[in-house]
Amino acid sequence: MNCQREPAEYPLAVKYCGNCSMPFEYCEYYVEYDKCKEWLAKNHPEDYEKLLLREAAEATCAGGEKKRQTRGGKGLARCKKLNATDEDAAPKRVCLTCTTRGKNKRVTIVVGLAAYKIDLRAAAKFFGNKFACGSSATGTDEIVIQGDVRQELLMVIPDKWPEVAVEAIVDCDESKK
């Protein structure tokens, strides 16, 4: 196997992308990679052809789609997803759960507000302002609030959204106390 490289000629001439201002080799890690490709095809067609050949060779070697890295960490306990038929049959309810994150950190998870057509991002912002803590909408029907605020939520949710009945709010951690 021959592993020798071609000798480099100094000084190196590096071409930069006009869209992301990085060298062409790093454009694939940029968020708007498609715009970088368009710019490259318009301004440097010979380098664009090399890029297409390289991508085609990688696709045949990899045997499919390139997997992208996702942000991660330890996931929180998720509630079971309901099918469309289950949503119609089951009564609407809001489930409040409290779990531990780290050693002494607690988070409250609110699931079920989407069934009442409540905007989760706006609700998360409201909860963050109300309880002076971090709050975010993490799933299609889930809000994570920093701290154990279940008792306060039992009163705050019906006051803010009258369509959610007090009886529909269930504290799912009552048995664990």
Side-chain angles (χ1 to χ4, degrees), residues 4-17:
Q4 294 180 348
R5 294 185 183 180
E6 295 178 20
E9 295 181 25
Y10 292 97
L12 295 177
V14 179
K15 296 180 183 177
Y16 292 94
C17 177

Side-chain angles (χ1 to χ4, degrees), residues 111-175:
V111 178
L113 288 177
Y116 291 95
K117 306 289 189 243
I118 295 173
D119 182 23
L120 296 182
R121 292 182 67 197
K125 185 168 181 156
F126 170 75
F127 292 143
N129 290 337
K130 177 74 176 174
F131 302 122
C133 64
S135 178
S136 63
T138 57
T140 57
D141 190 20
E142 181 178 82
I143 298 175
V144 177
I145 305 168
Q146 293 178 358
D148 188 359
V149 292
R150 288 177 294 166
Q151 296 302 317
E152 293 88 353
L153 283 172
L154 291 172
M155 292 173 262
V156 169
I157 292 174
D159 289 343
K160 175 72 176 169
W161 296 282
E163 64 267 17
V164 181
V166 178
E167 297 81 26
I169 303 172
V170 179
D171 189 356
C172 295
D173 282 346
E174 287 177 341
S175 60

Side-chain angles (χ1 to χ4, degrees), residues 41-96:
K42 181 179 174 186
N43 297 311
H44 296 281
E46 65 282 348
D47 291 326
Y48 181 69
E49 292 297 325
K50 290 179 187 176
L51 175 73
L52 290 179
L53 291 173
R54 188 184 67 176
E55 285 181 350
E58 287 176 358
T60 57
C61 291
E65 245 181 65
K66 182 178 176 184
K67 291 187 179 179
R68 297 194 56 96
Q69 180 180 358
T70 58
R71 293 184 70 186
K74 290 187 178 178
L76 298 172
R78 304 287 185 205
C79 292
K80 186 180 91 172
K81 300 286 183 191
L82 296 176
N83 295 334
T85 57
D86 294 340
E87 290 176 5
D88 298 335
K92 297 178 186 177
R93 64 180 211 169
V94 177
C95 183
L96 307 177

